[in-house]
C-alpha cells in the first residue's frame, strides 16, 4: 500500500466515508475492560495486591503489565522482586487476567530470551514493544533500520508461540520530509510477525484509531484508550471527550482488536470503567 502524508490521509478518509462498515451496536465488554499498570505504578509498587483489588473493584477485568525487569527504574523495581509465579497468582487472586505486557527496546535487544521466558511464566500471549529506542528527530533511514530490528524480534517472539506488537506514540505521527513516520512503519514492519497496539491519544494531534483500523484490517491486536477534551493536552474520562467510542469499537472488529487497556490519570479510571461497562 502506498503511504500518504497527513493531508492526503485525511482526504482519503473523507472520500471513503461512504464505504465505511455499517454500525452495529457493540458493548465494550465484548472485550475485557483492561487497564495499563503504568498509570498506577507508584501505588502498585507499594502494595501490589491492594492495588490490583482496587482496580477490580473499579470495574477492570484485565491488566497490561510493564515488564518489571525492563521498567525497574521507572517504578516497577519492587514488582521485579516478586517471583513470577507469585505475581501471576496475585493477579488471579484479584480476579484479573493478564495476557499482555510492555517491554523496552533495551531489554529486547539485550535480553530477549529472558523476556520471552518471563512472558511464558506469567501466562502472557502478547509481548508489546513500548518504544522504538529512537525519536522523531531520527532520519527515515533510522526508522527503516529500527523496523528491521523490530521485525527480527517479532520473528523470535512468534517462534516462541507468542504475538508481538509495536506500540505507537504521538511522535510517530510527525512527518520526515513528506512522509508520516507511522506510514513508513506500517510499510516496513513484517506483518507476519509484528502486529500493532494503537495509542488512541494521537487523537490529540488529529488522527483517529477507527480510521487506521479500517485502512489496515487485522493488523491491530490491542489499543491504549484515552480521551481528549479537544484543548491543549487535557485528558478526559473515557466517554467524556472527543473520541467516538461506538465507531472505535465497530472499526476495531475490522482492525483485529483482542484487548483494550485504559491509560488515563488515576482519578479518571473509575468513570472510564463505568462508561465502558455501559457502552452498548
Amino acid at each position: 500500500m502506498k503511504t500518504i502524508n497527513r493531508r492526503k490521509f485525511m482526504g482519503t478518509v473523507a472520500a471513503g466515508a461512504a464505504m465505511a462498515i455499517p454500525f452495529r451496536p457493540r458493548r465494550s465488554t465484548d472485550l475485557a475492560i483492561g487497564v495499563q499498570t503504568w498509570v498506577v505504578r507508584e501505588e502498585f509498587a507499594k502494595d501490589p495486591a491492594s492495588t490490583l483489588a482496587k482496580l477490580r473493584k473499579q470495574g477492570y477485568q484485565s491488566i497490561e503489565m510493564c515488564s518489571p525487569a525492563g521498567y525497574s527504574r521507572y517504578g516497577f523495581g519492587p514488582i521485579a522482586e516478586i517471583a513470577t509465579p507469585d505475581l501471576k497468582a496475585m493477579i488471579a487472586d484479584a480476579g484479573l487476567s493478564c495476557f499482555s505486557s510492555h517491554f523496552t527496546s533495551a531489554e529486547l535487544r539485550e535480553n530477549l530470551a529472558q523476556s520471552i521466558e518471563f512472558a511464558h511464566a506469567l501466562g502472557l500471549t502478547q509481548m508489546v514493544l513500548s518504544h522504538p529506542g529512537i525519536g522523531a528527530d531520527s532520519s527515515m533511514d533510522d526508522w527503516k533500520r529500527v523496523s528491521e530490528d523490530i521485525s527480527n524480534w517479532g520473528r523470535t517472539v512468534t517462534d516462541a508461540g507468542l504475538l508481538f506488537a509495536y506500540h505507537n506514540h504521538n511522535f510517530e505521527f510527525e512527518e520526515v520530509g513528506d512522509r508520516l513516520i507511522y506510514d513508513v512503519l506500517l510499510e516496513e514492519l513484517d506483518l507476519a510477525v509484528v502486529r500493532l497496539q494503537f495509542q488512541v491519544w494521537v487523537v490529540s494531534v488529529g488522527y483517529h484509531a477507527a480510521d487506521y483500523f479500517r485502512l489496515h484490517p487485522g493488523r491491530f491486536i490491542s489499543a491504549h484508550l484515552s480521551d481528549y477534551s479537544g484543548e491543549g493536552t487535557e485528558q478526559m474520562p473515557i466517554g467524556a471527550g472527543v473520541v467516538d467510542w461506538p465507531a472505535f469499537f465497530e472499526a476495531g472488529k475490522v482492525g483485529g482488536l483482542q484487548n483494550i487497556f485504559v491509560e488515563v490519570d488515576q482519578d479518571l479510571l473509575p468513570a472510564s470503567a463505568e462508561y465502558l461497562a455501559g457502552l452498548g
Side-chain angles (χ1 to χ4, degrees):
M1 176 179 174
K2 182 179 179 181
T3 57
I4 53 180
N5 64 27
R6 178 179 179 178
R7 293 177 294 278
K8 291 180 181 178
F9 171 79
M10 298 310 293
T12 300
V13 170
M19 299 176 63
I21 55 178
F23 175 72
R24 295 183 300 278
R26 173 183 185 152
R27 293 183 60 84
S28 67
T29 46
D30 287 349
L31 300 173
I33 302 173
V35 60
Q36 227 296 337
T37 52
W38 174 262
V39 300
V40 294
R41 60 192 179 280
E42 294 181 2
E43 185 177 359
F44 190 35
K46 292 177 182 177
D47 193 340
S50 294
T51 302
L52 294 170
K54 180 179 178 180
L55 291 172
R56 185 67 189 95
K57 187 175 181 179
Q58 288 176 346
Y60 291 96
Q61 300 162 307
S62 71
I63 62 168
E64 182 177 53
M65 281 293 299
C66 292
S67 164
Y71 282 79
S72 60
R73 64 191 180 104
Y74 301 110
F76 284 82
I79 306 301
E81 296 176 3
I82 302 173
T84 305
D86 293 338
L87 179 60
K88 181 179 180 181
M90 190 181 298
I91 294 169
D93 288 346
L96 296 164
S97 61
C98 181
F99 300 112
S100 179
S101 179
H102 274 202
F103 295 83
T104 68
S105 58
E107 66 181 317
L108 295 187
R109 192 177 301 279
E110 300 166 10
N111 299 298
L112 182 55
Q114 292 92 324
S115 297
I116 291 172
E117 182 180 356
F118 167 77
H120 281 306
L122 193 60
L124 304 181
T125 59
Q126 301 170 14
M127 296 177 62
V128 181
L129 173 62
S130 60
H131 194 286
I134 62 174
D137 58 346
S138 302
S139 70
M140 201 57 83
D141 285 341
D142 291 333
W143 280 102
K144 290 180 180 179
R145 280 192 291 271
V146 82
S147 295
E148 184 175 354
D149 290 339
I150 295 168
S151 294
N152 286 334
W153 297 334
R155 293 183 187 99
T156 303
V157 171
T158 300
D159 287 344
L162 301 163
L163 291 175
F164 186 65
Y166 177 85
H167 172 83
N168 68 272
H169 313 77
N170 280 20
F171 61 74
E172 288 96 339
F173 287 81
E174 298 179 11
E175 292 182 357
V176 174
D178 63 350
R179 301 290 305 280
L180 197 71
I181 293 170
Y182 198 64
D183 284 345
V184 174
L185 287 171
L186 286 167
E187 184 179 87
E188 294 290 328
L189 294 174
D190 185 348
L191 171 62
V193 294
V194 182
R195 304 294 180 84
L196 300 163
Q197 180 181 80
F198 201 87
Q199 172 55 270
V200 178
W201 184 247
V202 298
V203 69
S204 65
V205 290
Y207 295 90
H208 298 270
D211 295 333
Y212 275 90
F213 293 164
R214 295 187 185 107
L215 284 173
H216 302 280
R219 293 203 71 170
F220 299 86
I221 60 171
S222 60
H224 276 197
L225 276 53
S226 53
D227 217 334
Y228 175 50
S229 70
E231 298 182 3
T233 57
E234 183 185 7
Q235 285 188 349
M236 301 291 287
I238 304 301
V242 301
V243 177
D244 184 342
W245 291 106
F248 169 91
F249 283 107
E250 184 63 18
K253 297 176 184 179
V254 177
L257 285 188
Q258 298 179 20
N259 296 307
I260 53 171
F261 303 107
V262 172
E263 189 178 38
V264 296
D265 293 338
Q266 277 199 55
D267 61 329
L268 307 181
L269 288 176
S272 296
E274 182 178 0
Y275 172 81
L276 291 169
L279 185 63

